Amino acid sequence: MRDAPRCHIHYEEISKLFCETCSNLPVCMACTYGEHKGHKLHEGKTLAKLKREELAQKLESLEEIEKDRKLILSKKAYERLIINVNIEKEKVIKMHDVKDEKIMNKMQDIEGRRQQVKQEKRNAEKKIFDSLQREMENEMQEVKKKYEEMFKVKKIEVTDIFKARESFLEKELSELHGKRERFQRDKEDLLEQVEKELAENFKTFKTMSEHFDNIKKRLEALNVMASSILASDNDWSAVQCIPDMCIAATNLMKDLKKDFPEWTTLTYVTVNYKQYSIGKPSVTKISEQVEKEITITDSNLRVCDMTSVGDGNIVISGITPDREASVIIVIKMNGRIMQEKTMNTGKHWPARYCKSLSQHKVATVSEPNEIGLYDLRDGSYIKKNISDVTNSWPKDRYVRCVATDSVNNHILVGGDDSRDVYVFDNQLNYLHFLTLPEMIKCPRGITISDGHLLVCDYDGEKCYVTTMDRLKSKLVGELMKANLERNSFRPRSVCTDKNGFVYMLWKSYGLPQQCYLVQYNHHGSQVLVTRELDGRASVVTVVETSQGEKLLVPTYDTQTVYMYDLIAED
């Protein structure tokens, strides 16, 4: 390095210049007109000065980066890691304790309600007994037996009502016990995961320390070599060695700038916290594809309504244009017709609607104002005209929908262009009517959910939730309308599953016909699923099978029933 540099092409010539374009090769004056013509040339002293300045800047940058990185792996940073991990553990424990307390409070509340139900039962029995006892004392001795029989009947009715409520609360309490046990197991698993992740972080910390020690040794070696060259006054040595050292410094800077994890919290632990719903699953999923298509063999049937009864039987009501009569058909899940009953109401193409009342009986209404009970066991059918049992039903009013109240064994009937809903008992005896809120124009589909009435207002293009107060119901809420802006849609049919989720058909008004199935949450305030169906879909209902609940959607005039699987998930 200390010999005078010679041209790398003309060895007999002493080099006065260096070609920066060609990695600082020594050249003579002749080369500036030959091989290196047009290249970037420097005198030796000038180029050496530039390279020394460049190396000094690299070393200064390395020192600054080194200072910053020392802070990362300092003892204080390690202590912050431990503190933050402990904070995260405390948060996890506190979060589970709060949730556990809520579940315990809910369990205590249910236990209190159960005791209250028992007390109400005792009070109701006592009240009935006292009332009957006073009447018995005022009556003649020969009618005492009559009142004793009446008391027995009343007591049985009260016992049945409160027994169902007690059974429901006991079941809900049992489910909460199970959820709490799973909750505790998940808490223990999560804390174990936190401890495991902490151990993994310590391993990563050690690996990073070893990596940084290696970089530190490389930096010290580079500093020694650079200091030696910078202290030398030999331009030839500076020109030849400094570029390689700059490359080494650049690579070292890249390694120093390598990103490290943030040590402020747990790096990889994901707190996958389950929301433990109380009483109902968090979601009921509808199968993505049609699970099954059921074909009805009666090609003349026009479906108006559908319901399900015990043993997975499906009851379909509608009209048969070829006979100008209404019909009830009972089919199996494979589409095979088990029973069929044709009923002539004296009206051209009378629409018929139906809802399950018990395991073997179906409540049905048919235009203009017929109400009846169909028994699946023997195919018998009893009926009445609503206008014959109450004067409040106008002669020109037609039935449009029917619903059943399984708690009270009541039948609810709605008519066209009317806000009045008529209530009958399970023997078709008229009880009373209730008037829907003023904003409802024309109910075309009704169902009962959690003690409230869901009303499809066909003309108003909305679905409402109302109370079932006698005489005049009150508005509770409104089900959101899905984003169906391409056409004017109206609610046609509504039903609920055993977990309280709501399913509704929205049909377009006019052509082309479109139909959407919309699923809502328990409160009807949130749309969960919106799915386009066959535009001829007419009704939606839920059927209970041995494999769980299924969602059925029949078409009006193609004799096809689409079946979807319903999967409840916590």
Side-chain angles (χ1 to χ4, degrees):
M1 292 296 184
R2 293 187 178 278
D3 293 337
R6 294 180 178 275
C7 179
H8 73 103
I9 296 176
H10 307 94
Y11 296 104
E12 69 280 2
E13 296 291 335
I14 299 298
S15 174
K16 300 296 183 182
L17 300 172
F18 295 90
C19 180
E20 186 177 0
T21 306
C22 300
S23 301
N24 299 336
L25 289 176
V27 297
C28 62
M29 294 301 294
C31 288
T32 61
Y33 297 96
E35 294 291 334
H36 297 276
K37 184 178 180 179
H39 289 190
K40 193 173 183 180
L41 304 172
H42 295 279
E43 288 183 353
K45 290 184 177 181
T46 303
L47 185 57
K49 181 180 179 181
L50 292 174
K51 296 303 178 182
R52 286 190 180 96
E53 292 175 352
E54 181 181 354
L55 179 57
Q57 292 176 355
K58 295 285 185 179
L59 293 175
E60 183 180 353
S61 299
L62 284 171
E63 290 178 359
E64 293 178 357
I65 296 174
E66 181 188 16
K67 291 179 181 178
D68 293 339
R69 288 305 177 189
K70 283 182 178 179
L71 292 175
I72 294 177
L73 300 179
S74 65
K75 181 179 180 181
K76 192 173 182 179
Y78 176 79
E79 292 175 352
R80 285 202 304 272
L81 168 65
I82 298 300
I83 292 172
N84 289 328
V85 168
N86 290 332
I87 291 174
E88 286 296 319
K89 288 173 63 177
E90 290 297 329
K91 287 182 179 179
V92 170
I93 294 172
K94 184 177 181 180
M95 175 180 64
H96 283 79
D97 290 344
V98 170
K99 206 65 181 178
D100 181 59
E101 183 179 357
K102 289 183 178 179
I103 292 179
M104 288 296 296
N105 291 337
K106 184 66 176 179
M107 292 169 62
Q108 293 175 1
D109 179 64
I110 292 177
E111 181 64 30
R113 287 160 53 197
R114 187 172 67 169
Q115 295 300 326
Q116 183 180 359
V117 167
K118 290 182 178 180
Q119 184 61 41
E120 290 177 358
K121 174 187 173 183
R122 290 192 292 268
N123 293 341
E125 291 176 352
K126 186 176 183 302
K127 184 177 180 180
I128 293 174
F129 178 81
D130 293 343
S131 175
L132 294 177
Q133 188 69 31
R134 286 192 298 268
E135 292 182 18
M136 289 170 59
E137 291 174 355
N138 297 328
E139 293 289 338
M140 297 175 61
Q141 186 64 29
E142 59 266 20
V143 298
K144 182 178 180 180
K145 185 177 179 180
K146 170 185 174 182
Y147 283 98
E148 289 177 348
E149 293 297 325
M150 290 175 60
F151 171 73
K152 291 179 181 180
V153 172
K154 292 292 184 180
K155 184 176 180 180
I156 292 174
E157 292 178 355
V158 172
T159 300
D160 291 342
I161 293 174
F162 284 94
K163 184 178 179 180
R165 293 174 62 185
E166 287 179 8
S167 175
F168 175 79
L169 291 175
E170 289 175 356
K171 181 180 178 182
E172 188 174 356
L173 190 61
S174 175
E175 292 176 353
L176 284 173
H177 278 296
K179 289 181 183 294
R180 185 168 182 265
E181 291 176 359
R182 295 198 302 273
F183 186 82
Q184 293 294 342
R185 290 196 297 269
D186 287 348
K187 173 185 174 181
E188 294 172 1
D189 293 343
L190 186 57
L191 290 176
E192 182 181 351
Q193 185 182 5
V194 170
E195 294 292 345
K196 182 179 179 182
E197 179 57 28
L198 179 59
E200 293 295 329
N201 280 337
F202 286 151
K203 292 180 182 179
T204 304
F205 187 86
K206 183 179 178 181
T207 302
M208 289 168 53
S209 297
E210 294 173 353
H211 174 74
F212 193 79
D213 289 342
N214 178 267
I215 291 177
K216 185 177 180 180
K217 291 178 181 178
R218 290 165 56 192
L219 177 61
E220 291 173 351
L222 181 63
N223 279 328
V224 172
M225 296 176 64
S227 299
S228 175
I229 292 176
L230 291 175
S232 171
D233 58 355
N234 185 278
D235 296 338
W236 168 249
S237 178
V239 168
Q240 292 298 314
C241 296
I242 287 177
D244 292 333
M245 300 192 71
C246 287
I247 293 174
T250 300
N251 293 334
L252 190 57
M253 289 176 67
K254 290 181 180 179
D255 290 340
L256 280 172
K257 290 181 178 179
K258 179 181 178 182
D259 290 334
F260 294 111
E262 294 291 337
W263 295 98
T264 56
T265 182
L266 296 177
T267 309
Y268 302 107
V269 172
T270 301
V271 182
N272 187 16
Y273 179 71
K274 283 188 175 182
Q275 294 294 330
Y276 288 83
S277 60
I278 299 177
K280 295 178 180 177
S282 58
V283 67
T284 297
K285 291 186 176 180
I286 306 175
S287 57
E288 293 294 330
Q289 303 295 331
V290 176
E291 181 184 359
K292 184 179 180 181
E293 291 187 12
I294 304 172
T295 302
I296 306 172
T297 56
D298 190 340
S299 59
N300 291 315
L301 176 65
R302 299 294 182 265
V303 178
C304 295
D305 208 349
M306 173 182 287
T307 189
S308 65
V309 288
D311 301 326
N313 291 321
I314 304 171
V315 179
I316 300 174
S317 64
I319 56 178
T320 52
D322 60 328
R323 284 166 278 179
E324 295 190 358
S326 66
V327 65
I328 287 182
I329 297 178
V330 182
I331 66 172
K332 286 291 186 182
M333 300 298 286
N334 59 6
R336 184 166 63 93
I337 295 179
M338 303 298 296
Q339 298 178 22
E340 181 173 1
K341 189 174 188 66
T342 302
M343 291 157 281
N344 194 331
T345 60
K347 182 184 179 300
H348 181 65
W349 286 20
R352 180 173 291 276
Y353 309 96
C354 63
K355 283 295 180 293
S356 173
L357 182 62
S358 66
Q359 188 175 6
H360 302 292
K361 289 187 177 182
V362 174
T364 177
V365 295
S366 179
E367 296 177 347
N369 67 98
E370 178 185 298
I371 180 172
L373 288 175
Y374 181 78
D375 196 321
L376 276 71
R377 291 170 293 189
D378 55 10
S380 62
Y381 178 68
I382 59 174
K383 65 178 180 178
K384 290 182 179 180
N385 287 329
I386 300 176
S387 57
D388 294 338
V389 297
T390 173
N391 295 327
S392 61
W393 184 278
K395 293 183 178 181
D396 58 349
R397 179 176 296 169
Y398 282 16
V399 293
R400 280 291 178 263
C401 51
V402 62
T404 53
D405 182 355
S406 59
V407 176
N408 300 307
N409 278 333
H410 288 171
I411 305 169
L412 288 76
V413 181
D416 57 354
D417 300 325
S418 172
R419 295 187 291 113
D420 293 334
V421 176
Y422 292 77
V423 183
F424 298 81
D425 65 14
N426 59 357
Q427 300 298 321
L428 302 185
N429 297 313
Y430 172 71
L431 300 177
H432 60 86
F433 71 89
L434 60 90
T435 302
L436 300 174
E438 295 180 357
M439 69 285 299
I440 298 177
K441 300 178 181 178
C442 180
R444 285 295 182 91
I446 56 176
T447 194
I448 297 173
S449 176
D450 289 337
H452 292 89
L453 192 63
L454 305 184
V455 183
C456 293
D457 186 3
Y458 190 75
D459 288 350
E461 301 183 8
K462 292 183 179 180
C463 183
Y464 296 98
V465 183
T466 72
T467 64
M468 296 176 59
D469 299 337
R470 186 168 180 173
L471 297 182
K472 189 172 184 179
S473 66
K474 299 177 182 178
L475 181 67
V476 175
E478 176 183 337
L479 271 68
M480 295 176 59
K481 188 173 183 178
N483 187 19
L484 308 174
E485 299 177 353
R486 289 172 292 176
N487 208 330
S488 177
F489 285 85
R490 302 185 178 192
R492 176 60 184 85
S493 178
V494 62
C495 69
T496 61
D497 61 22
K498 64 181 180 182
N499 296 313
F501 292 90
V502 180
Y503 306 87
M504 184 178 301
L505 281 184
W506 291 85
K507 290 182 69 73
S508 63
Y509 183 71
L511 297 175
Q513 279 195 346
Q514 291 177 289
C515 187
Y516 281 87
L517 171 64
V518 180
Q519 180 193 27
Y520 300 86
N521 63 355
H522 303 132
H523 308 290
S525 59
Q526 182 181 358
V527 174
L528 302 180
V529 175
T530 301
R531 183 173 299 168
E532 187 170 9
L533 302 176
D534 187 333
R536 292 164 293 189
S538 58
V539 66
V540 59
T541 190
V542 174
V543 59
E544 180 70 26
T545 69
S546 58
Q547 292 81 32
E549 287 189 304
K550 310 290 182 181
L551 193 67
L552 300 182
V553 182
T555 56
Y556 175 71
D557 55 1
T558 59
Q559 294 78 49
T560 302
V561 180
Y562 300 104
M563 177 188 294
Y564 297 89
D565 193 19
L566 295 180
I567 307 170
E569 296 183 354
D570 285 336

